[in-house]
Amino acid sequence: MDTEIAGPRRRGPYAKSAARRRQIVEEAYRVFATRGYHGSSLREIAAAAGISLSNLQHYFTGKEDVLLAVLELRDELGAGVDAPEDDEPFERHIVAQAAANERIPGVIALYSVLSAEAVTDDHPGREYFLGRYDTLRSEYEAEFAALRDQGRLRDGVDPALAAATVIALWEGIQLQWLYTPDRIDAAATLRAYLDLVLLSPQTA
Amino acid sequence: MDTEIAGPRRRGPYAKSAARRRQIVEEAYRVFATRGYHGSSLREIAAAAGISLSNLQHYFTGKEDVLLAVLELRDELGAGVDAPEDDEPFERHIVAQAAANERIPGVIALYSVLSAEAVTDDHPGREYFLGRYDTLRSEYEAEFAALRDQGRLRDGVDPALAAATVIALWEGIQLQWLYTPDRIDAAATLRAYLDLVLLSPQTA
């Protein structure tokens, strides 16, 4: 049963099957966020989704397959540490996205656990995170380089280093925020860094 | 068998028992780093240490007990994101410690996985990390405040925000370094941030 072919015109069993698959992925998301990838079992995910293990196995060949679907769902939701849309100013995007992330602590927690777990060589998410960090660093570096060309980057700031710094600071401060949400303001922390490295448009 | 009472004058079975306990903790360290806390079992740790599960249970009452011993060992080794000794200049300590951490990727990986996993309410490491972040932020804030009093903190930089920023940046950049050690320089990234917020002693 391949639910991927169910397009918008499909109805009946196909639409129902796609909805069920999506529901499993959402439950897996929560299970992984709580127990990590290695600590979770397909049996637990099936139980959380209110279906049998063999029913779940109609949709996914294994836990690895479920993880990849969870990471796709995360990308689809566009949450977490992210790249700006075409015409949104870079620094405004970063701060707005960091503020928006405060509404989705479960996603942030999942991402924190998986990105750390996936460092190990045999983790099925390793390639995903390797590619994600590479892509994000390239995109942010291009943004800082463009700001430099506008005369808005402080002298001596390296666009590549600033790119890695924003991503690192963002993920690190979100982890502190997960522990003590009343005492850490991730958006304000990122804004303070951007204020250090960027000159305001009028002074540039 | 309580190995905690084995003081420096004890020899024979006590010293041997303490050495065995230490060996189990070191193996547990490696198992947790690879599979996370939730993904590891006492049975795996016993197998890694080359002893039986029941033998391991002479030393530890459960997996939670082993985790706390692992976190104690980490503190004893003084590795990872750390506070400076009494008379070491703050910024020099940060950069030197970040460079030293490059020799212990396994410890950094363990810390990354555990600090993210332990966010969940029922994780036995949660209190440890809550306390650790609180202590580190207080210590770093005091260091930045002292630098401000020496006229060495850039105008407008908040000591508390800078403290949370250094810790977040440090942990975040170490995670990127674990993925691509040949492309990320954690010490240089931290130095670049400190160069932004601190004035050099002669210009202050």
Side-chain angles (χ1 to χ4, degrees), chain B residues 42-149:
Chain B
L42 278 187
R43 197 172 295 275
E44 280 174 281
I45 294 166
I51 61 175
S52 69
L53 178 59
S54 66
N55 194 349
L56 185 146
Q57 286 166 332
H58 282 294
Y59 296 88
F60 297 97
T61 57
K63 197 166 73 163
E64 185 167 329
D65 197 21
V66 178
L67 176 66
L68 296 176
V70 165
L71 294 173
E72 275 165 22
L73 173 63
R74 194 206 144 280
D75 285 344
E76 183 191 317
L77 295 176
V81 173
D82 216 333
E85 298 298 320
D86 278 352
D87 49 5
E88 191 183 10
F90 176 59
E91 64 271 36
R92 191 184 305 167
H93 167 80
I94 300 278
V95 174
Q97 183 68 55
N101 284 355
E102 291 184 15
R103 294 194 298 270
I104 48 165
V107 180
I108 306 306
L110 171 68
Y111 191 79
S112 297
V113 172
L114 286 181
S115 63
E117 270 194 341
V119 162
T120 49
D121 287 341
D122 60 343
H123 196 288
R126 181 177 166 82
E127 286 305 311
Y128 171 87
F129 283 104
L130 265 175
R132 189 163 169 71
Y133 283 121
D134 274 356
T135 303
L136 270 180
R137 277 195 300 260
S138 297
E139 288 172 346
Y140 285 17
E141 181 180 349
E143 296 281 353
F144 278 116
L147 287 161
R148 184 188 53 196
D149 294 346

Side-chain angles (χ1 to χ4, degrees), chain A residues 104-183:
Chain A
I104 48 164
V107 179
I108 305 306
L110 170 68
Y111 192 81
S112 297
V113 172
L114 285 182
S115 63
E117 269 194 340
V119 163
T120 50
D121 287 341
D122 60 343
H123 196 289
R126 180 176 167 83
E127 287 304 311
Y128 171 88
F129 283 105
L130 264 175
R132 189 163 169 72
Y133 282 121
D134 274 357
T135 304
L136 270 180
R137 278 194 301 258
S138 298
E139 287 172 348
Y140 285 17
E141 181 180 349
E143 297 281 353
F144 278 116
L147 286 160
R148 184 189 52 195
D149 293 346
Q150 295 161 31
R152 291 201 48 218
L153 195 64
R154 182 184 290 277
D155 275 352
V157 174
D158 175 59
L161 207 65
T165 295
V166 166
I167 297 162
L169 173 56
W170 196 340
E171 294 191 348
I173 201 68
Q174 283 187 157
L175 183 58
Q176 291 182 49
W177 168 77
L178 285 168
Y179 279 100
T180 43
D182 52 330
R183 291 173 52 193

Side-chain angles (χ1 to χ4, degrees), chain A residues 95 98-99 102 173 184-195, chain B residues 161 165:
Chain A
V95 174
E102 291 184 14
I173 201 68
I184 297 290
D185 185 336
T189 307
L190 284 162
R191 187 185 296 116
Y193 174 73
L194 293 169
D195 284 348
Chain B
L161 207 65
T165 296

Side-chain angles (χ1 to χ4, degrees), chain A:
Chain A
M1 195 190 309
D2 186 355
T3 62
E4 297 299 326
I5 59 164
R9 282 163 184 278
R10 302 275 193 158
R11 288 291 177 272
Y14 294 102
K16 196 176 159 198
S17 167
R20 170 57 57 91
R21 187 178 190 282
R22 168 74 178 232
Q23 184 225 343
I24 296 168
V25 176
E26 287 174 355
E27 292 296 341
Y29 202 95
R30 279 184 272 275
V31 172
F32 287 154
T34 308
R35 304 184 59 79
Y37 175 76
H38 278 304
S40 308
S41 69
L42 278 186
R43 197 173 293 278
E44 279 175 280
I45 294 166
I51 61 176
S52 69
L53 177 60
S54 65
N55 194 350
L56 184 146
Q57 286 166 332
H58 283 294
Y59 296 89
F60 298 97
T61 56
K63 198 167 72 164
E64 187 168 328
D65 197 20
V66 178
L67 176 65
L68 296 176
V70 164
L71 294 173
E72 275 165 23
L73 174 63
R74 194 207 146 278
D75 284 343
E76 183 192 317
L77 295 175
V81 173
D82 217 332
E85 298 297 321
D86 279 352
D87 49 4
E88 190 182 12
F90 176 59
E91 64 270 37
R92 192 184 304 166
H93 166 79
I94 300 280
V95 174
Q97 184 66 55
N101 284 355
E102 291 184 14
R103 295 194 298 271
I104 48 164
V107 179
I108 305 306
L110 170 68
Y111 192 81
S112 297
V113 172
L114 285 182
S115 63
E117 269 194 340
V119 163
T120 50
D121 287 341
D122 60 343
H123 196 289
R126 180 176 167 83
E127 287 304 311
Y128 171 88
F129 283 105
L130 264 175
R132 189 163 169 72
Y133 282 121
D134 274 357
T135 304
L136 270 180
R137 278 194 301 258
S138 298
E139 287 172 348
Y140 285 17
E141 181 180 349
E143 297 281 353
F144 278 116
L147 286 160
R148 184 189 52 195
D149 293 346
Q150 295 161 31
R152 291 201 48 218
L153 195 64
R154 182 184 290 277
D155 275 352
V157 174
D158 175 59
L161 207 65
T165 295
V166 166
I167 297 162
L169 173 56
W170 196 340
E171 294 191 348
I173 201 68
Q174 283 187 157
L175 183 58
Q176 291 182 49
W177 168 77
L178 285 168
Y179 279 100
T180 43
D182 52 330
R183 291 173 52 193
I184 297 290
D185 185 336
T189 307
L190 284 162
R191 187 185 296 116
Y193 174 73
L194 293 169
D195 284 348
L196 275 171
V197 294
L198 297 182
L199 311 173
S200 58
Q202 53 271 34
T203 64

